[in-house]
Amino acid sequence: MEWIGFANYAVFMAIFICIYALLSLGLNIQWGFTGLFNAGIAGFFAVGAYTSAVLTSPAADGRLGGFDLPFWVGWIGAMVAAALIAWPIGKICLRFRSDYLAIATIGVAEIIRLVIKSEDWLTNSARGITDIPRPLGDLSYTMSQLAYLGIVMAILLVAYLMVERQIASPWGRMMRAIRDNEDAARAMGKDVPYRRLEAFIFGSALMGLGGALFAHFNRSITPEAIDPMVATFLVWIMLILGGSGNNRGAILGVAVVWIIWSLSEIVTDQFPHEYAVKAKYLRIFLIGLMLQLVLRFRPEGLLPEASGERKPVGKPSD
Amino acid sequence: MGALEIINFYLVPGLVVGSIYALGAVGITLVFAILRYAHLAHGDLATLGAFLGLGLVTALGISPYLALTAVMALTAVVAVGIDRVFYDYLRERPKIVTVMASLGIALMVRAIVQMVWGVDSQTYTRGIVRPENWFGIRVRDRELITIVAMIVLVVALQLFLQRSKWGKAMRAMSDNPDLALLSGVDNGKVVTITWVIVGGLCAAAGLFLGLNFELKAMMGWSMLLPMFAAAILGGVGRVEGAVLGGLIVGVAEEMSTLFLPTEYKAATAFAILLLMLLVRPTGLLRGKVL
């Protein structure tokens, strides 16, 4: 039946949108609220995916683990691992302008890619890690898809509420102050590199969680599962188009870009083979062009950052 | 292992690849110092240069060396065009926005290369070139030409920067943009000249990379990290520093295979980058820190 296939596809897309939304929220903390340029999103994503895979998959010969732990341990582990990678990088680079962080995060993502591809004992290199358990994964196909969608939506909602609360708090105000006028914030006695480090680690942990959710959704993870440049860039265009500095915008941007991206893939897959390969690169070209157009004509994005005073969270309005 | 082996297997290849990094790093350091942002599309611009060279070599049947000047000119035009169409409008915005735009440009340029020339790796000329033997040191002609061309180009650039009116204007913009603008330096012209130089050097780096190894769509992107490491190692804004940095990074990468698996060659540049940011962010020759 046609509509069941369609509904299954819609659920599949919705799960991906939720996973990318976590990445986009993570980037929003780093870029939108703090002004940090992370060009290695795919690296933190991969660290999260592999950490959770190693922690939760059943024991296997020839590589570390698996430790067969419950999925939530894997997810927490993914966040911790991504944060642990972010910490030294942030520590070294956040004293300087964000350009240095951009270069360093490109480097980190590249090193992570090399490690994943070549360290047999850790990641099973090219064959990847399989048999990653999916929570509620033993239901029928449609039901387990729906159940997983429910789980990722719940996680996204919790993450969204936490980030919203954090951003509306004095901490969030301080972060925007640092982003908008570093010197003034420093003059007010704020420890700028330390605060930036907090935001960088916090955002990276969310990216790691996104990676873990992806690995459990696919039930496997291989080095080829995700194209690092394209994934990183997609998250960037999602956030910029949606509206950096606005969490709802960050999520809206994900939905818009992911739907365009997936539908364009369906269209180009209909082409004869020799054109289909070229069309893949044409899509990448157009997504790059889209960023240029948004930066030039609508830099504030679809849902701009709220300006002016926000109502403080947790205080009665007086 | 004797001294000759070290020279033949590590030092010579390191200096060759280091010369290529140097050509790229000089461009990165100029953009960083004069325009004040990290240009992430630098590697992919080099890829474009390499493939434009391939286009000329196959269409006209000339040798890659003859194509060099034409390719440098073509890529310079492309670089100026990219600046006019995309970066120019972002000049008044925070510089990091241009960094982001350049990441998009990197993707776009690479996508064009992949669409036009496909994804298989290619070479300028077929066949194996045997190295010449100079008193036990084995060097191929193309390797010698790479190093010599790098030196010639950098010396010419230094003469231009030290002697000519526009070179002085570029240095003034690098040292103190406000003062330079007050003294009547035409900002738009300095930007254009910078991109002409940077685009040309980029193309040369790409062409020599393709000449010594092979042409792949990812060749430039994978060179980005070593080029930035070289620019920062030498000191941002210092042309001679970028050359020194490029050579050091190139040799260090080759030497690293003595201790590390070859897959991790690329990690050497990253380690150098982080180490310099940690202990001496101004670089060896006291450049600037943005």
Side-chain angles (χ1 to χ4, degrees):
Chain A
M1 287 231 294
E2 188 68 15
W3 66 270
I4 287 192
F6 182 75
N8 275 334
Y9 186 69
V11 172
F12 180 82
M13 289 250 288
I15 292 174
F16 263 91
I17 288 174
C18 288
I19 291 174
Y20 268 97
L22 278 174
L23 303 181
S24 178
L25 276 184
L27 185 63
N28 201 19
I29 298 169
Q30 295 177 343
W31 168 255
F33 298 116
T34 323
L36 306 179
F37 196 108
N38 181 352
I41 298 167
F44 296 102
F45 178 91
V47 166
Y50 272 94
T51 306
S52 192
V54 168
L55 288 176
T56 60
S57 61
D61 288 335
R63 66 168 170 86
L64 185 71
F67 296 106
D68 214 1
L69 293 168
F71 67 88
W72 55 269
V73 178
W75 294 358
I76 292 172
M79 289 163 73
V80 172
L84 283 178
I85 302 270
W87 181 74
I89 302 303
K91 194 85 188 146
I92 294 176
C93 299
L94 291 177
R95 294 175 292 152
F96 310 110
R97 242 178 58 173
S98 208
D99 302 53
Y100 291 91
L101 185 69
I103 304 155
T105 45
I106 288 175
V108 171
E110 184 64 19
I111 307 291
I112 291 171
R113 194 180 66 83
L114 291 177
V115 169
I116 287 171
K117 269 178 78 173
S118 40
E119 293 303 321
D120 247 347
W121 62 274
L122 185 65
T123 62
N124 210 11
S125 48
R127 279 151 300 170
I129 296 178
T130 49
D131 293 330
I132 304 170
R134 186 206 279 189
L136 302 176
D138 36 14
L139 301 171
S140 70
Y141 175 77
T142 310
M143 286 314 287
S144 92
Q145 295 284 94
L146 277 174
Y148 201 72
L149 176 61
I151 292 172
V152 288
M153 280 176 81
I155 290 177
L156 177 61
L157 184 70
V158 170
Y160 168 78
L161 291 175
M162 279 171 66
V163 175
E164 274 287 288
R165 194 187 152 82
Q166 185 74 347
I167 288 311
S169 71
W171 185 86
R173 212 159 47 231
M174 174 181 65
M175 296 317 274
R176 288 194 298 279
I178 291 174
R179 177 195 64 186
D180 292 339
N181 194 335
E182 192 185 323
D183 295 333
R186 190 174 284 130
M188 300 293 284
K190 308 298 178 202
D191 186 348
V192 174
Y194 181 76
R195 296 301 173 181
R196 283 183 174 159
L197 187 62
E198 285 180 342
F200 186 57
I201 289 178
F202 188 16
S204 300
L206 271 185
M207 292 169 187
L209 180 63
L213 292 177
F214 174 82
H216 287 261
F217 175 55
N218 270 357
R219 292 196 170 95
S220 70
I221 183 84
T222 59
E224 271 73 44
I226 194 149
D227 181 339
M229 255 310 265
V230 174
T232 296
F233 195 75
L234 273 180
V235 179
W236 268 106
I237 177 77
M238 285 163 174
L239 179 64
I240 302 295
L241 177 74
S244 52
N246 181 328
N247 287 324
R248 273 182 294 271
I251 296 173
L252 175 72
V254 173
V256 171
V257 172
W258 188 253
I259 288 170
I260 296 175
W261 183 249
S262 307
L263 291 184
S264 72
E265 186 170 19
I266 295 178
V267 173
T268 53
D269 280 353
Q270 309 298 317
F271 293 178
H273 178 70
E274 53 172 315
Y275 296 106
V277 177
K278 294 205 169 180
K280 180 182 155 202
Y281 299 113
L282 182 64
R283 286 166 64 219
I284 295 178
F285 177 84
L286 290 176
I287 207 95
L289 187 63
M290 190 166 153
L291 177 80
Q292 312 298 339
L293 295 177
V294 174
L295 283 180
R296 182 161 163 197
F297 295 109
R298 199 170 168 85
E300 72 277 21
L302 295 174
L303 296 180
E305 181 180 357
S307 59
E309 192 60 33
R310 286 168 181 239
K311 207 175 76 174
V313 170
K315 275 188 193 167
S317 52
D318 44 11
Chain B
M1 192 184 298
L4 267 184
E5 269 92 31
I6 297 256
I7 292 175
N8 281 331
F9 294 121
Y10 300 99
L11 193 62
V12 170
L15 288 176
V16 172
V17 85
S19 302
I20 297 167
Y21 293 161
L23 286 170
V26 169
I28 281 182
T29 220
L30 287 179
V31 176
F32 221 156
I34 298 171
L35 309 179
R36 288 173 198 274
Y37 50 80
H39 184 231
L40 302 182
H42 211 77
D44 291 283
L45 209 53
T47 311
L48 181 71
F51 276 91
L52 285 175
L54 183 70
L56 286 180
V57 167
T58 44
L60 307 176
I62 53 176
S63 92
Y65 304 113
L66 273 177
L68 179 64
T69 7
V71 166
M72 284 176 71
L74 278 175
T75 313
V77 171
V78 172
V80 172
I82 289 174
D83 177 65
R84 286 283 158 78
V85 179
F86 297 111
Y87 300 156
D88 199 33
Y89 295 93
L90 306 173
R91 208 184 293 162
E92 300 305 319
R93 309 254 303 276
K95 294 297 178 200
I96 194 74
V97 176
T98 315
V99 179
M100 184 193 307
S102 76
L103 186 65
I105 296 290
L107 219 59
M108 288 163 73
V109 170
R110 196 186 316 156
I112 289 176
V113 168
Q114 284 161 327
M115 277 191 284
V116 176
W117 284 283
V119 288
D120 301 325
S121 44
Q122 308 188 39
T123 49
Y124 289 120
T125 47
R126 285 172 204 289
I128 298 165
V129 183
R130 291 213 169 274
E132 309 271 332
N133 200 324
W134 304 72
F135 312 107
I137 298 172
R138 293 198 295 273
V139 188
R140 292 178 180 82
D141 285 348
R142 63 176 188 222
E143 294 175 328
L144 215 52
I145 294 173
T146 304
I147 297 174
V148 170
M150 184 275 285
I151 295 171
V152 170
L153 286 172
V154 169
V155 168
L157 174 66
Q158 282 292 50
L159 285 177
F160 173 79
L161 288 177
Q162 304 294 340
R163 302 285 165 82
S164 77
K165 181 180 150 209
W166 287 110
K168 285 178 187 160
M170 282 171 67
R171 287 193 295 138
M173 283 295 282
S174 160
D175 286 342
N176 190 335
D178 296 332
L179 194 58
L181 288 175
L182 274 175
S183 320
V185 169
D186 181 344
N187 187 24
K189 257 194 191 143
V190 167
V191 172
T192 307
I193 294 170
T194 307
W195 278 114
V196 167
I197 294 170
V198 169
L201 291 175
C202 230
L207 193 109
F208 284 116
L209 189 69
L211 198 64
N212 284 288
F213 304 96
E214 50 183 12
L215 293 112
K216 289 181 289 200
M218 292 297 284
M219 62 194 275
W221 176 257
S222 46
M223 199 167 57
L224 190 67
L225 203 55
M227 292 190 302
F228 267 104
I232 290 170
L233 175 63
V236 169
R238 303 296 298 264
V239 171
E240 67 279 24
V243 173
L244 182 67
L247 295 177
I248 293 176
V249 171
V251 173
E253 276 194 352
E254 294 301 321
M255 290 286 192
S256 76
T257 56
L258 285 169
F259 323 99
L260 283 172
T262 34
E263 298 95 276
Y264 290 112
K265 228 192 226 184
T268 319
F270 184 62
I272 291 176
L273 178 82
L274 286 189
L275 187 71
M276 283 316 281
L277 289 181
L278 201 58
V279 299
R280 198 180 160 105
T282 49
L284 294 175
L285 298 188
R286 289 236 175 272
K288 51 170 116 302
V289 182
L290 291 183

